[in-house]
Amino acid sequence: MTSEEIREAVRNILADIAPDEDLSDLKEDVAFRDQLELDSMDFLDIVMELRKRYRVQIPEEDYLELASMQSTVAYLEPIMKDM
Amino acid sequence: MVAVRPDEQRIVITGIGLAAPNGNSLGEYRENLLEGRSGVSDYEIRYFGKTLAGICDFDALKYQRRKEIRRGTRAGSVGIYCSHEAVTDSGIDWDNTDKSRVGIYIGVTEHGNVETENEIYQIKAYDYDTQYWTHHHNPRTVANSPAGEISLNLGITGPHYTIGAACAAGNAGLIQAVQMLRLGECDLALAGGVSESIHTFGIFAGFNSQGALAVNDDPTKASRPFDRDRNGIVVAEGGCIYVVERLSDAKARRAEIYGEVVGYAMNSDASDFVNPNDERQAECIQLALQRAELGAEEIDIVSTHATSTTTGDVQECKALQRIWGDKGGTTALNNTKSFIGHAMGAAGALELAGNLPAFVDRVCHATINLDNIDPECNLPGIVANQPRKLEKVDYILNNSFGMLGINSVVIVGRI
């Protein structure tokens, strides 16, 4: 997957777990938590959806890498590049 | 004569919010009960296939965000909708109500089956690998979940819990509220029952295996308590939550009062997992009458529990005969399940609610689909197919019985 495809995949997951949010103005370098109403259960949903949809396993110590769109895409690129 | 208590110990209903298969407000529901409109329709659920059910169409988004709905349960959505409607209906100044003094007491027949079935279905796609099992499982399936969702949504910080009481649960929730208000554990209660049961295939398959699931080419004719041609239960979803408070508080804020809970009782059959026991049911009714200090002849309407199964209907009729005798006096009997099916944990609360407007209009709604009465159910007071205008309606007695032999009776008086 290209970085743009990964970005779109993450955006689709966010749209499902935060269905009341407007994602059109989502800023790349700002933490999801600072611009969306997300809590720890929602972050676990992001991890679970990546596992379910793409079989990507994210170890707990790497959860902080999912803070923003920019950091998430950067983290997932090497993992998902061959998908 | 009814028992006399000080106003601080008299508990009254001042708000009603409901979601029924044939109405999303008391007014709509009552109108459909008087007009004979059923809420039963065709339904299909995975594994079991085509069947019938009482399905609600209230707007869950009226009081919840989409994320709340996604995270929570159907029972929670039903409870939240009904609670908001009840609070609004009560006219209470909610913004200035001390939320730490509000109690939430919600009757449920069961909880967690729907969520567990859904999650097992979902991990099937991952060959039952439990690392795909959702972290939402536990908060969704803890037994207090439907009451807890109400607490979260309305910001209520007083006690919340569910009362697991099979199909006696709707009455049990209300009874719990009466007791807690009398004990001073809260100043206002949201109480009643909810059911999400139609979303579990297990309840349909279970009743079917038991030979107790209704089948009919016309869904609206399928639920037919007391009728010779009945063949089982129609499962329904729904909810009914009451705002309940002390009479002294209701008077102080000049609230409109639907009625006073003048008597109640709960007991156990201790005789069978499934089959009811008319002797114990009669004892429960008698205990409620004794506590209310009423004679059976003073009850104007009995809202029966009958579920449209031969055993259940006949046993309840025997219980009623034990109390009222063969003649029945002037007490009218009706049955709401004939319209909406069996709403399980919500049944008792919904069935009482549909009758409360009779304190004002003195009309006892009918039992529909009663074409050929079972001779063993041919009680003189049954109001068959058409509503009946009564001379007076001062007291309504509401029966609700459940599996494992749990019985509940509530008596509400006009005020």
Side-chain angles (χ1 to χ4, degrees), chain B residues 34-100:
Chain B
L34 294 180
E35 295 294 324
R37 291 192 198 104
S38 166
V40 177
S41 56
D42 288 317
Y43 185 61
E44 189 165 356
I45 186 163
R46 68 169 167 249
Y47 303 142
F48 189 76
K50 290 186 172 153
T51 183
L52 308 168
I55 307 161
C56 293
D57 66 356
F58 68 94
D59 179 12
L61 286 168
K62 187 171 178 183
Y63 303 113
Q64 286 185 288
R65 293 179 304 152
R66 284 179 292 174
K67 180 171 163 178
E68 278 180 275
I69 293 170
R70 175 185 170 275
R71 182 175 280 191
T73 66
R74 178 67 170 171
S77 287
V78 170
I80 288 165
Y81 175 85
C82 294
S83 295
H84 275 277
E85 295 281 307
V87 166
T88 302
D89 183 53
S90 75
I92 198 163
D93 180 1
W94 186 245
D95 289 343
N96 292 307
T97 297
D98 180 356
K99 309 299 189 298
S100 71

Side-chain angles (χ1 to χ4, degrees), chain A residues 16-21 37-39 41-42 44-45 48-49 51-53 55 57, chain B residues 61 64-68 70-71 122-123 125-126 130-136 139:
Chain A
D16 287 341
I17 67 170
D20 305 292
E21 303 278 356
E37 200 177 312
L38 297 179
D39 59 21
M41 293 289 271
D42 296 317
L44 288 174
D45 271 324
M48 178 63 83
E49 289 307 311
R51 185 182 300 153
K52 280 182 168 178
R53 297 181 193 190
R55 309 286 164 137
Q57 296 285 7
Chain B
L61 286 168
Q64 286 185 288
R65 293 179 304 152
R66 284 179 292 174
K67 180 171 163 178
E68 278 180 275
R70 175 185 170 275
R71 182 175 280 191
Q122 285 173 19
I123 65 162
Y126 306 96
T130 55
Q131 69 172 324
Y132 295 96
W133 187 262
T134 177
H135 50 284
H136 294 296

Side-chain angles (χ1 to χ4, degrees), chain B residues 151-193:
Chain B
S151 156
L152 286 165
N153 182 276
L154 279 91
I156 294 167
T157 58
H160 85 258
Y161 47 90
T162 53
I163 296 99
C167 303
N171 271 355
L174 184 56
I175 290 168
Q176 185 75 21
V178 172
Q179 293 170 333
M180 292 298 109
L181 283 160
R182 284 194 178 140
L183 286 170
E185 294 290 321
C186 61
D187 293 330
L188 190 84
L190 297 176

Side-chain angles (χ1 to χ4, degrees), chain A residues 14-43:
Chain A
L14 286 172
D16 287 341
I17 67 170
D20 305 292
E21 303 278 356
D22 178 5
L23 300 177
S24 59
D25 292 332
L26 197 65
K27 294 181 179 62
E28 284 278 311
D29 53 348
V30 176
F32 291 134
R33 252 186 167 149
D34 292 338
Q35 49 185 334
L36 302 172
E37 200 177 312
L38 297 179
D39 59 21
S40 59
M41 293 289 271
D42 296 317
F43 274 90

Side-chain angles (χ1 to χ4, degrees), chain B residues 29-37 301 332-335 338-339 354-355 358 361-370 381-391 393:
Chain B
Y29 176 54
R30 175 71 175 173
E31 183 184 341
N32 286 329
L33 293 175
L34 294 180
E35 295 294 324
R37 291 192 198 104
I301 295 173
L333 279 62
N334 68 6
N335 182 283
S338 60
F339 295 82
N355 276 294
D361 61 22
R362 290 188 285 117
V363 176
C364 179
H365 78 66
T367 299
I368 60 170
N369 298 326
L370 192 45
I382 290 182
V383 178
N385 301 315
Q386 293 296 325
R388 182 185 298 167
K389 185 86 174 180
L390 304 179
E391 291 283 314
V393 180

